[in-house]
Amino acid sequence: MISNPLRDPRDRRLPRVPEPCALVVFGITGDLARKKLLPAVYDLANRGLLPTNFALLGFARRDWGDEDFAELARDAARKAARTPWREEVWERLAGSVRFVQGSFDDDNAFDQLAATLGELEGTHGIGGNAAFYLSIPPAMFPIVLKQMQRTGMADSTPDRWRRVVVEKPFGTDLASSRELNALVDSVFTADDVFRIDHYLGKETVQNLMALRFANTLFEPVWNGHHVDSVQITMAEDVGIGGRAGFYEETGAARDVLQNHLLQLLALTAMEEPVEFSAEEIRTEKLKVLRAISLPEDLGTFAVRGQYEQGWLAGQRASGYRQEEGVDPESTTETYAAVRLGVETRRWAGVPFYLRTGKRLPRRVTEIALVFKQAPHLPFAATDTEELGNNQLVVRVQPDEGVTLKFGSKVPGSVMEVRDVSMDFLYGEQFTEASPEAYERLLLDVLLGDATLFPRNAEVEASWAVIDPLEEFWAGTTPHPYRAGEWGPRAADEMLAAEGRRWRRP
Ligand code: BG6
């Protein structure tokens, strides 16, 4: 075979280590930084995946010195790191931790930050490369981005790269996300912007591509000729924790349907990319997102819910309206389900049912392809009473793996066919533990590999799906469901209207 000169010769099986660089985190005292980012930095260091010349910078208002930040980072890493604790790894990292104190409107503080980066070039040989992680409320983006522009910190040159990492939510609707994108793009060049959707960093989500495009078994049936419907579920048993302020303004559709669930849909429905590169994968996902159609009858096929007091795992769980910081008459949804179509030759006519909710019976994220029934069964009707549709289920979390459900003869002298399952479990087949999503994504940012990051056209196409839903729901009250139940009855009715049922994962 003659190799294609356009193909990237880098071998992804080899561990990739970034060039010398600094990681600057805004919002270091926030939940995300403490629970995910700082532990991920330690885990990367522990796995030998950070460059020798590396520096970690925190920026915050607190009156702190480098040691205080180092202590916070150490505590956070010790609490949440996935790899074993090794003091010598931490000590090495701690030597390159810096803190810059200031508020976002403080020019001096940003001058100081720029100066510190300059100094680190001399002392730590970071080569001028830096990634800026905006782990801050989106309302703060403009001011921080403008400061970076003013100080020249955002400018990549042929000798150094500067990148920015933006956390979701990317706006609150299409118009605001366009504004936000325009703002970010006016400061950083498009290739230097990394929008994080942490679901794309999950191992099983990436395995979806391996499953589909590395095998011959699945792709021939991965279409509307064989698939009856697709169910994508992201269920959480937790409530909103201490995030009432954020959640009240956001709701389930904006929080996770707009991003995590639509990205899962895009990966499930997309065509094979020409190659496994950022450009090609994003192109295929975008085509799907643009091909999504909403049901005409939103009253039946789009359901929002809100949890009421109930029981979960033997414990009493309070209702959403009773959570601290929530308006006692709040109409914010904690559950959302919708039936979407994908108007392509492969998927025309196949409903994609998406649902997500808080305080559901258990934490589970899965993508289930439900196949059509056999066109003809040469058995008596009673022989197949317990035979359902064949199903292929990709379990994103927990118990990462893939399950195939199909009919099998029940042992014995009579003919009876019943559903059985065949399971592949990551934990059983591989000894290596999957890296945490943030670990993988942070590494990719430092490597400049944008494969697992949605580009702004995808974000905008996703809002174009969510906006009409939000408009339809505005001013309505969500359907109630009890904490510990699988969502409101209206969501069951939505599937029943088409002769289907939600899976009970
Ligand atoms: C976040 C949402 O993006 O994803 C949270 O803002 C949600 O509301 C979280 O709880 C779930 O992430 P994971 O990785 O625990 O499934």
Side-chain angles (χ1 to χ4, degrees):
M1 194 171 97
I2 299 172
S3 67
N4 182 339
L6 293 175
R7 297 256 156 106
D8 184 345
R10 277 188 314 175
D11 187 337
R12 283 170 178 270
R13 289 169 303 176
L14 302 173
R16 297 172 296 161
V17 177
E19 295 170 283
C21 62
L23 173 67
V24 182
V25 183
F26 294 100
I28 43 163
T29 49
D31 239 28
L32 181 77
R34 279 183 299 110
K35 292 194 180 142
K36 302 286 183 184
L37 302 181
L38 297 170
V41 170
Y42 167 80
D43 283 329
L44 286 173
N46 206 4
R47 290 185 207 264
L49 293 174
L50 286 183
T52 319
N53 299 339
F54 173 80
L56 172 68
L57 274 93
F59 183 103
R61 245 192 321 230
R62 304 198 178 190
D63 192 10
W64 273 2
D66 295 341
E67 301 74 34
D68 302 297
F69 173 43
E71 203 177 304
L72 170 114
R74 183 180 199 276
D75 281 356
R78 273 220 86 149
K79 271 200 193 107
R82 309 240 302 189
T83 54
W85 187 255
R86 290 198 292 154
E87 201 60 40
E88 68 276 17
V89 171
W90 174 256
E91 287 302 322
R92 217 174 313 129
L93 203 55
S96 57
V97 170
R98 293 285 179 278
F99 180 75
V100 176
Q101 193 248 335
S103 58
F104 296 151
D105 57 3
D106 180 354
D107 287 0
N108 286 337
F110 277 84
D111 292 341
Q112 179 63 40
L113 179 60
T116 307
L117 280 172
E119 275 164 40
L120 286 167
E121 251 179 274
T123 55
H124 286 68
I126 57 165
N129 303 320
F132 301 92
Y133 203 116
L134 305 190
S135 179
I136 53 176
M140 300 284 127
F141 288 180
I143 185 163
V144 171
L145 287 166
K146 287 201 178 111
Q147 291 281 20
M148 285 199 249
Q149 194 170 36
R150 184 185 62 78
T151 50
M153 268 190 286
D155 305 336
S156 287
T157 66
D159 308 324
R160 70 165 206 207
W161 52 257
R162 292 290 161 103
R163 298 177 187 139
V164 68
V165 187
V166 190
E167 265 289 335
K168 67 172 249 303
F170 315 112
T172 51
D173 56 14
L174 180 56
S176 60
S177 87
R178 278 194 175 137
E179 250 172 58
L180 181 65
N181 281 332
L183 175 71
V184 177
D185 288 348
S186 70
V187 178
F188 284 88
T189 45
D191 286 349
D192 294 331
V193 181
F194 291 74
R195 292 173 187 77
I196 290 231
D197 183 318
H198 78 280
Y199 266 59
L200 297 180
K202 292 188 190 266
E203 199 75 12
T204 0
V205 173
Q206 295 163 53
N207 188 39
L208 192 57
M209 287 190 271
L211 187 77
R212 293 190 55 195
F213 305 126
N215 298 300
T216 51
L217 200 55
F218 307 112
E219 210 48 23
V221 293
W222 206 275
N223 54 56
H225 296 300
H226 300 278
V227 175
D228 165 81
S229 54
V230 178
Q231 293 190 16
I232 303 180
T233 299
M234 175 189 165
E236 293 184 280
D237 52 357
V238 292
I240 52 154
R243 299 161 78 218
F246 161 76
Y247 206 83
E248 273 284 87
E249 296 292 309
T250 311
R254 289 193 174 103
D255 184 28
V256 296
L257 193 60
Q258 187 271 343
N259 37 77
H260 306 328
L261 272 89
L262 287 183
Q263 284 289 325
L264 293 182
L265 181 152
L267 288 169
T268 307
M270 75 181 190
E271 297 301 314
E272 182 180 301
V274 173
E275 63 174 4
F276 198 76
S277 70
E279 193 52 28
E280 302 299 342
I281 293 175
R282 288 157 141 193
T283 299
E284 295 308 332
K285 281 193 295 166
L286 181 60
K287 285 195 216 159
V288 174
L289 293 169
R290 290 213 171 123
I292 291 178
S293 65
L294 282 155
E296 270 172 33
D297 179 5
L298 285 174
T300 306
F301 294 109
V303 171
R304 65 203 286 259
Q306 189 186 66
Y307 61 84
E308 292 186 325
Q309 183 182 311
W311 290 86
L312 238 163
Q315 306 252 356
R316 190 185 266 296
S318 61
Y320 176 70
R321 291 177 178 188
Q322 287 80 52
E323 303 271 18
E324 206 185 317
V326 170
D327 176 354
E329 291 179 18
S330 170
T331 56
T332 300
E333 82 278 358
T334 59
Y335 177 99
V338 63
R339 173 206 201 277
L340 298 175
V342 178
E343 305 307 322
T344 61
R345 177 169 283 228
R346 188 189 279 265
W347 295 115
V350 178
F352 282 70
Y353 299 108
L354 273 50
R355 65 175 161 168
T356 182
K358 301 237 181 237
R359 288 276 186 240
L360 300 184
R362 53 179 296 230
R363 173 175 186 252
V364 59
T365 298
E366 63 163 44
I367 301 159
L369 268 66
V370 179
F371 290 92
K372 292 182 174 172
Q373 286 193 321
H376 171 251
L377 290 168
F379 312 101
T382 48
D383 298 345
T384 55
E385 257 170 10
E386 296 198 41
L387 176 66
N389 295 51
N390 294 170
Q391 295 182 6
L392 180 71
V393 184
V394 177
R395 235 177 356 273
V396 174
Q397 64 189 23
D399 309 327
E400 291 87 345
V402 181
T403 293
L404 193 58
K405 212 176 118 200
F406 54 94
S408 171
K409 182 183 173 304
V410 179
S413 56
V414 294
M415 189 63 193
E416 189 189 345
V417 184
R418 192 187 288 170
D419 283 336
V420 293
S421 299
M422 207 156 80
D423 279 322
F424 148 61
L425 275 170
Y426 261 79
E428 281 177 5
Q429 296 279 329
F430 298 107
T431 47
E432 304 90 341
S434 307
E436 220 276 328
Y438 275 97
E439 200 185 318
R440 169 66 200 263
L441 295 175
L442 214 46
L443 178 63
D444 282 359
V445 169
L446 302 182
L447 287 163
D449 181 345
T451 312
L452 300 177
F453 298 81
R455 69 172 162 211
N456 60 15
E458 288 172 69
V459 172
E460 290 176 13
S462 303
W463 280 119
V465 176
I466 300 300
D467 277 5
L469 281 182
E470 293 288 357
E471 256 164 56
F472 179 77
W473 284 333
T476 65
T477 306
H479 296 275
Y481 63 96
R482 265 205 293 270
E485 288 182 353
W486 278 105
R489 200 169 332 127
D492 292 333
E493 287 163 7
M494 164 175 145
L495 263 72
E498 300 188 312
R500 301 190 177 93
R501 277 164 45 184
W502 287 111
R503 280 174 41 79
R504 287 282 177 259

